[in-house]
């Protein structure tokens, strides 16, 4: 009985051992199969190792060129460029099995290489890029009609804008002056719009009404006007003193200017700094009548109700303020040259000089 | 009954038209609206924000949205595009220097998807000022030809101060919108 039991046990253990062996063999077989089937290119570690190697090699080649240890020629540049490109393609192919971080890191490395290449190329042939784009434009414009579409947009505006612009330069106004003193009498004012443009260190008196006033690009100027029946628009002014009576006043991009205003609506400033306001104080013969016609005879008390469009908060805008009363001036038209009666010319000149002195003192 | 028919019927019942007044600062937008409404125009301040005016015109109720044109406010214009039936672009015809600015801003507006169906009336304002450009001169600078196929538009001269041309302009824009939206039977 024991013997038979023993033999039985032996048989069972043998069978078990055989089973075990076949199982092991099967595992081995499966492993072999899977390793045969697996794409070697799908191995993350393998890819990263190879990528690192190739990127490192390219990087040293580029550095060599940068430090001019090797001769920079078109051929070497091209070969590096094509290598960078193939590396980039490899990364692109690998992205589907690479973990997100590795994909991102590899892309970053390639981008850096590319950038260094571009830098090298522009150093090597700075004009190449320009010539290339020019060629391409030429080539594209000729055969391909659709690519011509942006071209007419770019080209024709010049003449089109040119023609309607012409009246601007010939329209009434004072332009491109420097270091002068100009008095314009009412009879010389057209009564329509008036332009003061590109002035530097100029003193201007407009002794009469205009419909609209445009002041543009003025510096170190003194501008005194009669009533503006419509609106006054000031854009780009620096270190100026202006006295204006108007229905509306808009000031854009002005810095360190002094405004003596009488206005029938709230004056506004936009993109300005250092704007000081004071009430209108101008005198010349005939002004009171002109102001009465323009409905500006009496103080409207809006000169200090300035709206700053760049400062839409409850706190007062830091861009403008009220000129202290002690610093305010009054402006009297200088008895002028030729057009006015010259009778007390010496006295007038003396007075003018006094005024100027007084002004400059006050400004100091 | 399609959705469009329903919308048309609802709109026809209300007979309301929403107009958007836009343009550079100093163009005279507020003055035009006030003039149309018969209000005092002698002391209008530059618009800080916007004004809404409702007025009756030829049996329609016009809701006019008058939006400030200062540079700092232009980025807010797009908040007013929704459900706009017509826009009125106002130009200061005497401000020749900024005409190109004006054109660029207008072109920006015209590519807005929300305004794609809106009729466009361009008012060349301040024609009463000597030295103002004529509507046809302004039309040349505005280069409207590239939009003319896709949009109902018209340019007219006007003066908010004298009132000339305003009624013609509003007449055109209202009848254009009406013929588009409302069914006259």
């Amino acid at each position: 009985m024991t013997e038979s039991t023993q033999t039985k046990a032996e048989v069972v253990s043998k069978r078990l051992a055989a089973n075990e062996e076949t199982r092991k063999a099967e595992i081995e077989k499966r492993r072999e199969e899977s390793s045969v089937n697996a794409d070697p290119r799908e191995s993350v570690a393998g890819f990263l190792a190879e990528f690192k190697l190739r990127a490192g090699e390219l990087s040293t080649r580029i550095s060599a060129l940068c430090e001019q240890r090797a001769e920079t020629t078109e051929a070497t540049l091209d070969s590096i460029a094509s290598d960078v490109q193939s590396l980039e393609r490899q990364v692109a192919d690998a992205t589907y099995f690479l973990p997100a971080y590795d994909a991102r890191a590899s892309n970053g490395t390639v981008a850096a290489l590319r950038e260094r290449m571009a830098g090298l190329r522009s150093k090597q042939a700075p004009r190449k890029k320009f010539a290339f784009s020019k060629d391409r434009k030429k080539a594209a414009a000729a055969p391909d009609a659709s690519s011509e579409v942006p071209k007419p947009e770019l080209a024709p505006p010049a003449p089109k804008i040119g023609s309607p612009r012409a009246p601007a330069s010939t329209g009434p106004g004072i332009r491109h002056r420097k270091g002068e003193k100009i008095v314009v009498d009412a009879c010389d004012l057209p009564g329509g719009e008036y332009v003061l443009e590109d002035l530097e260190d100029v003193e201007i008196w407009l002794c009469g009404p205009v419909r609209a006033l445009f002041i543009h690009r003025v510096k170190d100027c003194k501008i005194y006007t009669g009533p503006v029946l419509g609106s006054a628009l000031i854009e780009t002014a620096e270190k100026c003193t202006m006295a204006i009576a108007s229905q509306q006043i808009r000031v854009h991009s002005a810095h360190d200017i002094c405004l003596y205003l009488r206005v029938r609506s709230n004056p506004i400033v936009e993109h300005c700094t250092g704007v000081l306001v004071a009430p209108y104080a101008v005198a010349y013969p005939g002004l009171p009548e002109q102001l009465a016609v323009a409905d500006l005879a009496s103080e409207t008390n809006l000169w200090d109700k300035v709206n700053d469009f760049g400062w839409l908060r409850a706190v007062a805008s830091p861009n403008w303020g009220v000129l202290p009363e002690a610093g305010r001036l009054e402006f009297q038209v200088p008895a002028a040259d030729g057009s006015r009666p010259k009778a007390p010319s010496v006295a007038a000149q003396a007075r003018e000089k006094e005024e100027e002195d007084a002004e400059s003192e006050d400004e100091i | 009954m399609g959705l469009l028919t329903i919308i048309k019927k609802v709109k026809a019942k209300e007979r309301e038209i929403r107009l958007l007044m836009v343009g550079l600062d100093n163009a005279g937008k507020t003055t035009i609206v006030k003039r149309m409404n018969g209000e005092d125009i002698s002391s209008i301040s530059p618009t800080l924000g916007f004004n809404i005016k409702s007025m009756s015109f030829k049996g329609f109720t016009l809701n006019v949205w008058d939006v400030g044109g200062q540079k700092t406010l232009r980025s807010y214009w797009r908040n007013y595009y929704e459900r706009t039936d017509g826009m009125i672009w106002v130009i200061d015809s005497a401000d020749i220097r900024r005409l190109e600015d004006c054109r660029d801003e207008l072109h920006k507006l015209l590519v807005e998807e929300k305004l794609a169906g809106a009729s466009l009336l361009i008012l060349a304002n301040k024609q009463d000022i000597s030295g103002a450009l004529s509507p046809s001169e302004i039309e040349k600078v505005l280069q409207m030809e590239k939009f003319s196929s896709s949009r109902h538009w018209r340019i007219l001269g006007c003066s908010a101060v004298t009132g000339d041309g305003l009624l013609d302009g509003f007449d055109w824009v209202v009848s254009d919108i009406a013929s588009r939206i409302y069914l006259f039977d």
Side-chain angles (χ1 to χ4, degrees), chain B residues 34-185:
Chain B
K34 294 217 168 182
R35 181 90 213 179
M36 284 297 290
N37 227 14
E39 292 173 46
D40 174 36
I41 58 163
S42 67
S43 55
I44 296 169
S45 290
T47 308
L48 183 53
F50 65 94
N51 307 308
I52 312 171
K53 278 271 145 59
S54 278
M55 49 179 109
S56 303
F57 188 83
K58 304 222 157 172
F60 293 94
T61 306
L62 305 186
N63 292 322
V64 184
W65 292 66
D66 163 30
V67 189
Q70 304 295 329
K71 226 180 215 162
T72 32
L73 300 180
R74 289 178 205 161
S75 52
Y76 299 104
W77 285 355
R78 61 193 161 81
N79 300 334
Y80 302 90
Y81 295 163
E82 210 82 52
R83 292 188 295 120
T84 291
D85 298 309
M87 42 184 167
I88 301 179
W89 180 265
V90 186
I91 299 174
D92 176 355
S93 311
D95 191 356
I96 299 155
R97 183 177 63 81
R98 293 198 302 167
L99 218 49
E100 281 170 74
D101 268 0
C102 174
R103 177 195 62 206
D104 296 344
E105 293 285 351
L106 174 60
H107 285 195
K108 260 192 240 167
L109 204 70
L110 292 179
V111 296
E112 285 292 336
E113 209 173 318
K114 284 178 186 164
L115 292 172
S119 308
L120 169 67
L121 170 66
I122 301 175
L123 285 177
N125 193 22
K126 309 199 187 181
Q127 289 295 321
D128 56 306
I129 296 183
S130 64
L133 289 185
S134 69
S136 57
E137 282 173 296
I138 289 173
E139 192 182 332
K140 270 181 220 149
V141 182
L142 290 183
Q143 298 175 307
M144 285 299 294
E145 55 275 1
K146 53 180 149 178
F147 300 102
S148 45
S149 58
S150 56
R151 188 179 295 273
H152 294 206
W153 73 278
R154 173 166 289 190
I155 182 166
L156 289 170
C158 76
S159 162
V161 175
T162 64
D164 287 340
L166 290 185
L167 286 178
D168 293 340
F170 273 72
D171 235 5
W172 176 80
V173 76
V174 167
S175 58
D176 186 73
I177 293 166
S179 65
R180 218 161 21 85
I181 298 178
Y182 303 115
L183 308 157
F184 289 117
D185 26 33

Side-chain angles (χ1 to χ4, degrees), chain A residues 115-289:
Chain A
E115 213 159 274
R116 289 178 65 191
M117 261 315 286
L120 256 183
R121 226 179 239 288
S122 62
K123 225 197 286 172
Q124 161 79 1
R127 252 176 291 159
K128 199 189 173 209
K129 205 172 170 190
F130 171 65
F132 175 65
S133 72
K134 202 171 150 199
D135 280 355
R136 218 168 70 157
K137 217 183 247 173
K138 254 190 219 157
D144 193 1
S146 66
S147 67
E148 262 188 75
V149 173
K151 239 185 127 190
E153 270 181 19
L154 288 174
K160 272 191 180 165
I161 296 153
S163 53
R165 268 213 148 181
S169 51
T170 56
I174 299 168
R175 299 177 175 83
H176 308 292
R177 302 292 186 91
K178 199 172 175 181
E180 285 180 57
K181 187 177 245 177
I182 303 163
V183 178
V184 185
D185 282 318
C187 55
D188 295 325
L189 284 170
E193 101 269 21
Y194 206 77
V195 182
L196 304 176
E197 200 171 20
D198 292 309
L199 306 175
E200 196 180 335
D201 186 26
V202 177
E203 180 176 336
I204 291 178
W205 283 84
L206 301 182
C207 302
V210 292
R211 279 295 314 277
L213 179 66
F214 298 104
I215 299 176
H216 182 222
R217 282 207 298 266
V218 291
K219 199 180 165 194
D220 299 317
C221 288
K222 297 187 173 66
I223 296 168
Y224 313 110
T225 78
V228 180
L229 304 178
S231 64
L233 182 65
I234 301 164
E235 201 169 328
T236 322
E238 209 179 310
K239 297 191 186 74
C240 291
T241 302
M242 302 185 197
I244 300 169
S246 180
Q247 189 199 322
Q248 286 187 332
I249 290 175
R250 291 175 170 85
V251 185
H252 300 220
S253 314
H255 307 283
D256 304 321
I257 64 168
C258 228
L259 295 170
Y260 291 76
L261 304 176
R262 180 176 298 171
V263 57
R264 275 212 307 274
S265 59
N266 298 69
I268 72 134
V269 296
E270 191 185 49
H271 305 136
C272 293
T273 54
V275 175
L276 290 174
V277 290
Y280 185 67
V282 169
Y284 62 78
L287 176 65
E289 294 79 14

Side-chain angles (χ1 to χ4, degrees), chain A residues 64-82:
Chain A
L65 289 183
C66 281
E67 292 153 23
Q68 303 190 325
R69 275 187 272 123
E71 199 189 348
T72 318
T73 64
E74 205 56 38
T76 50
L77 278 178
D78 280 344
S79 87
I80 294 177
S82 75

